[in-house]
């Protein structure tokens, strides 16, 4: 091979090498762009999912006014239809119903009993007062989570959290016009606080359960347990639902409970928990707006101020916790 041929071969090798590098670089850039775009779209879809779920959660409270049954019967219908739809969903996905150990099973049963108390007290609060009072008092559950964590983990609450708790309590007190057991607003607010406390307990129980069990399976077993626990109370009430009530209970259980829960859990796979929590604080706003539009319930000045105090405080606390 002549010197000219050698130089020509080296030049071609260099050109081919440069071209290969450029192709590799372009391929890497294209792959990175595709990954970024896919992640962006997944987060966007997750954000839409969590907001739709919270919107449906906000709508659920109105069924306490639409359905002409006691709160205990509405709660039973909700968990009954929801557990059936979740069971069908798990069957379609060929998802296992297995619980890993006896301790988890006992915790699931306890959580189901707490869930029954939570949803009954929430609906009872709305029936005794208004949608605004029920959703406003329920939104204080972060305060109870803070107190329970401090109690169970033997942790001294931070000064900032104590201030936040005091503000949340003030927000609730603002909404109550009269502190008397003869006042339906006061009784509704007390039931709402029971709902908030029971939801805080349920949140901590679910935090333990999600370490071993699938989220959909947890919801299925909790709601099935709640239905079994509530059945004797429903039978003793002797309430008979009309066809319209049954249709509304089906809608409440399937759409605003099972479907909304699935959307919310799905969103957590792509969204940070704090962002989902901030979106959840909008449930009160959605509930009040739905009640205004669909029920004609105009919130009082006290209810609006109390809601603003609680929502802004929760939003600020969750944002600060992340930062």
């Amino acid at each position: 091979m002549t010197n000219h041929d050698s130089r020509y071969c080296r030049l071609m090798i260099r050109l081919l090498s440069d071209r290969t590098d450029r192709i590799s670089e372009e391929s890497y850039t294209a792959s990175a762009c595709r990954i970024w775009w896919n992640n962006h779209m997944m987060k966007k879809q997750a954000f839409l999912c969590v907001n739709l779920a919270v919107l449906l959660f906000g709508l659920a409270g109105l069924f306490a006014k639409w359905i002409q049954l006691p709160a205990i019967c509405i709660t039973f219908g909700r968990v009954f239809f929801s557990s059936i739809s979740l069971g069908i969903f798990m069957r379609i996905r060929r998802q296992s119903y297995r619980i890993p150990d006896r301790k988890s099973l006992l915790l699931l049963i306890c959580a189901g009993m707490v869930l029954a108390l939570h949803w009954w007290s929430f609906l009872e609060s709305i029936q005794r007062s208004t949608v605004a009072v029920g959703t406003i008092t329920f939104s204080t559950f972060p305060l109870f989570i803070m107190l329970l964590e401090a109690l169970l983990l033997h942790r001294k609450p931070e000064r900032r959290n104590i201030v936040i708790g005091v503000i949340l309590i003030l927000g609730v007190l603002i909404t109550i016009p009269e502190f008397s057991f003869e006042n339906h607003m006061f009784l509704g607010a007390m039931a709402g606080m029971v709902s908030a406390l029971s939801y805080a307990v349920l949140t901590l129980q679910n935090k333990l359960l999600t370490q071993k069990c699938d989220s959909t399976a947890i919801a299925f077993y909790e709601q099935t347990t709640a239905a079994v626990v509530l059945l004797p109370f429903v039978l003793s009430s002797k309430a008979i639902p009309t066809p319209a009530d049954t249709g509304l209970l089906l809608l409440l259980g399937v759409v605003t409970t099972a479907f909304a829960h699935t959307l919310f859990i799905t969103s957590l796979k792509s969204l940070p928990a704090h962002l989902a929590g901030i979106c959840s604080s909008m449930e009160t706003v959605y509930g009040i707006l739905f009640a205004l539009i669909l029920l004609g319930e105009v919130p009082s000045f006290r209810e609006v101020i109390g809601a603003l105090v609680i929502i802004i405080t929760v939003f600020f606390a969750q944002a600060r916790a992340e930062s």
Side-chain angles (χ1 to χ4, degrees):
M1 180 182 294
T2 64
N3 290 334
H4 175 74
D5 292 336
S6 297
R7 285 197 301 272
Y8 178 76
C9 287
R10 285 196 297 271
L11 178 61
M12 290 301 297
I13 291 171
R14 186 180 301 168
L15 289 172
L16 288 172
S17 177
D18 291 343
R19 184 179 180 185
T20 302
D21 290 342
R22 283 197 302 272
I23 292 173
S24 299
E25 184 178 351
E26 290 172 358
S27 177
Y28 173 79
T29 303
S31 298
C33 288
R34 281 196 299 270
I35 293 172
W36 176 86
W37 178 253
N38 289 336
N39 289 336
H40 174 72
M41 292 305 295
M42 285 177 62
K43 288 182 178 179
K44 189 174 182 180
Q45 291 173 358
F47 187 73
L48 291 174
C49 281
V50 73
N51 275 280
L52 178 57
V54 173
L55 191 73
L56 292 172
F57 291 152
L59 182 63
L62 275 68
F63 286 82
K65 297 290 189 180
W66 285 331
I67 301 173
Q68 302 303 310
L69 290 171
I72 197 80
C73 297
I74 299 175
T75 307
F76 172 78
R78 181 178 190 176
V79 294
F80 176 75
F81 286 117
S82 178
S83 58
I84 290 176
S85 57
L86 285 171
I88 294 172
F89 177 72
M90 292 174 67
R91 189 74 174 178
I92 292 173
R93 290 180 57 190
R94 296 182 179 180
Q95 190 173 335
S96 174
Y97 292 87
R98 182 177 172 272
I99 302 300
D101 51 60
R102 184 176 295 180
K103 185 178 179 180
S104 298
L105 179 60
L106 290 174
L107 186 57
L108 273 171
I109 293 173
C110 291
M113 297 170 68
V114 175
L115 176 67
L117 174 62
H118 160 59
W119 274 343
W120 167 76
S121 56
F122 176 67
L123 295 173
E124 183 73 15
S125 171
I126 292 174
Q127 285 193 336
R128 286 185 175 272
S129 55
T130 63
V131 174
V133 170
T135 54
I136 288 170
T137 50
F138 163 68
S139 62
T140 60
F141 72 86
L143 166 65
F144 292 109
I145 291 178
M146 177 192 71
L147 294 175
L148 288 171
E149 283 185 333
L151 181 65
L152 297 175
L153 301 177
H154 305 288
R155 214 165 45 188
K156 186 178 180 180
E158 297 179 11
R159 185 179 299 176
R160 181 183 63 190
N161 290 337
I162 294 174
V163 173
I164 290 172
V166 171
I167 295 173
L168 289 175
I169 293 296
L170 288 175
V172 173
L173 295 178
I174 290 172
T175 65
I176 303 174
E178 181 184 350
F179 296 90
S180 170
F181 285 102
E182 296 179 357
N183 186 279
H184 60 93
M185 288 292 183
F186 176 75
L187 293 174
M190 291 302 99
M193 296 300 286
V194 172
S195 173
L197 174 59
S198 55
Y199 185 75
V201 174
L202 183 65
T203 299
L204 296 179
Q205 289 175 319
N206 284 337
K207 191 173 181 180
L208 295 174
L209 287 168
T210 50
Q211 296 175 6
K212 295 183 179 180
C213 307
D214 177 79
S215 299
T216 307
I218 292 171
F220 170 73
Y221 281 107
E222 285 179 352
Q223 293 178 32
T224 302
T225 301
V228 173
V229 169
L230 292 168
L231 182 59
F233 297 98
V234 173
L235 294 176
S236 64
S237 71
K238 298 180 181 180
I240 301 176
T242 64
D245 290 335
T246 304
L248 288 171
L249 286 172
L250 182 64
L251 188 64
L252 173 64
V254 176
V255 179
T256 67
T257 304
F259 176 65
H261 173 85
T262 303
L263 281 178
F264 191 82
I265 295 299
T266 302
S267 70
L268 294 179
K269 295 178 181 179
S270 302
L271 284 181
H274 81 280
L275 183 55
I278 290 173
C279 292
S280 296
S281 65
M282 291 298 293
E283 180 180 344
T284 302
V285 178
Y286 292 144
I288 293 174
L289 288 177
F290 279 134
L292 176 64
I293 297 170
L294 300 177
L295 297 176
E297 279 190 0
V298 180
S300 66
F301 179 75
R302 299 173 70 100
E303 290 172 349
V304 172
I305 297 300
L308 286 175
V309 169
I310 292 172
I311 292 168
I312 292 172
T313 303
V314 171
F315 185 91
F316 173 77
Q318 290 174 327
R320 283 291 300 270
E322 174 62 16
S323 63

